[in-house]
């Protein structure tokens, strides 16, 4: 499970140090791809295989499934962190998410998300009030 908010910086080669607490879990490989709200999703290889299996069972006759799958898989990049825990984020993915130097890595349960630092601050400011005021159960019977 990935948790927390980790402010980080890209180096000049487009590499990012992974949060230290997740380096062991990601050391064998990971998949980076486009996510919603112009962030990047980072999955362990096993979790990405689980997502892939779920999409395999979705009907290819559904346009939304085809569209989502095309973008998800076409933009996906499998990476292996170096010995220092750095991972290269491909230029196309950095452009999609507006990532230049300062970023935030956010734990999102089964994945990490990489956000431009300002985009995350804006998103968080916008969503926190709505989160605090939720009057409906998001997960009925759980929360």
């Amino acid at each position: 499970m990935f948790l927390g908010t980790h402010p980080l910086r890209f180096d000049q080669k487009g590499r990012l140090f992974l949060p230290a607490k997740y380096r062991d879990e990601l050391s064998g490989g990971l998949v980076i791809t486009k996510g919603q709200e112009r962030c990047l999703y980072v999955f362990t290889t096993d979790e990405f295989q689980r997502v892939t299996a779920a999409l395999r069972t979705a009907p290819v006759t559904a346009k939304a499934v085809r569209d989502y799958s095309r973008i998800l898989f076409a933009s996906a990049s499998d990476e292996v962190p170096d010995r220092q825990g750095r991972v290269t984020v491909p230029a196309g993915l950095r452009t999609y998410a507006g990532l230049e130097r300062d970023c935030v890595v956010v734990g999102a349960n089964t994945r990490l998300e990489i956000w431009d630092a300002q985009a995350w601050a804006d998103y968080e400011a916008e969503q926190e009030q709505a989160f605090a005021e939720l009057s409906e159960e998001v997960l009925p019977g759980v929360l």
Side-chain angles (χ1 to χ4, degrees):
M1 177 177 1
F2 296 109
L3 305 171
T5 303
H6 313 272
L8 299 170
R9 285 194 160 162
F10 280 94
D11 68 13
Q12 293 174 337
K13 295 180 180 179
R15 295 176 303 192
L16 183 69
F17 279 99
L18 295 168
K21 68 188 286 183
Y22 300 125
R23 287 184 192 157
D24 286 344
E25 188 171 356
L26 298 169
S27 65
L30 54 95
V31 177
I32 307 170
T33 191
K34 292 178 180 176
Q36 276 63 60
E37 289 84 34
R38 295 249 176 214
C39 73
L40 302 179
Y41 289 168
V42 179
F43 296 98
T44 64
T45 302
D46 288 345
E47 180 62 16
F48 194 74
Q49 289 173 351
R50 189 193 67 74
V51 170
T52 299
L55 282 169
R56 230 182 248 133
T57 65
V60 295
T61 54
K63 184 173 180 348
V65 171
R66 292 191 312 272
D67 292 344
Y68 187 85
S69 292
R70 286 176 183 140
I71 297 298
L72 183 76
F73 293 112
S75 65
S77 179
D78 55 335
E79 303 290 334
V80 176
D82 68 14
R83 289 184 180 170
Q84 295 178 327
R86 294 177 301 196
V87 64
T88 299
V89 177
L93 290 174
R94 291 194 318 268
T95 299
Y96 168 80
L99 300 169
E100 292 181 15
R101 182 112 170 107
D102 295 324
C103 69
V104 177
V105 174
V106 178
N109 192 3
T110 60
R111 68 178 182 271
L112 292 170
E113 295 181 351
I114 304 172
W115 289 75
D116 168 74
Q118 187 59 55
W120 173 253
D122 295 345
Y123 177 84
E124 188 176 33
E126 180 181 308
Q127 295 301 316
E128 274 189 335
Q129 190 60 37
F131 178 84
E133 294 175 357
L134 268 176
S135 60
E136 298 175 11
E137 287 183 292
V138 175
L139 297 171
V142 177
L143 292 174

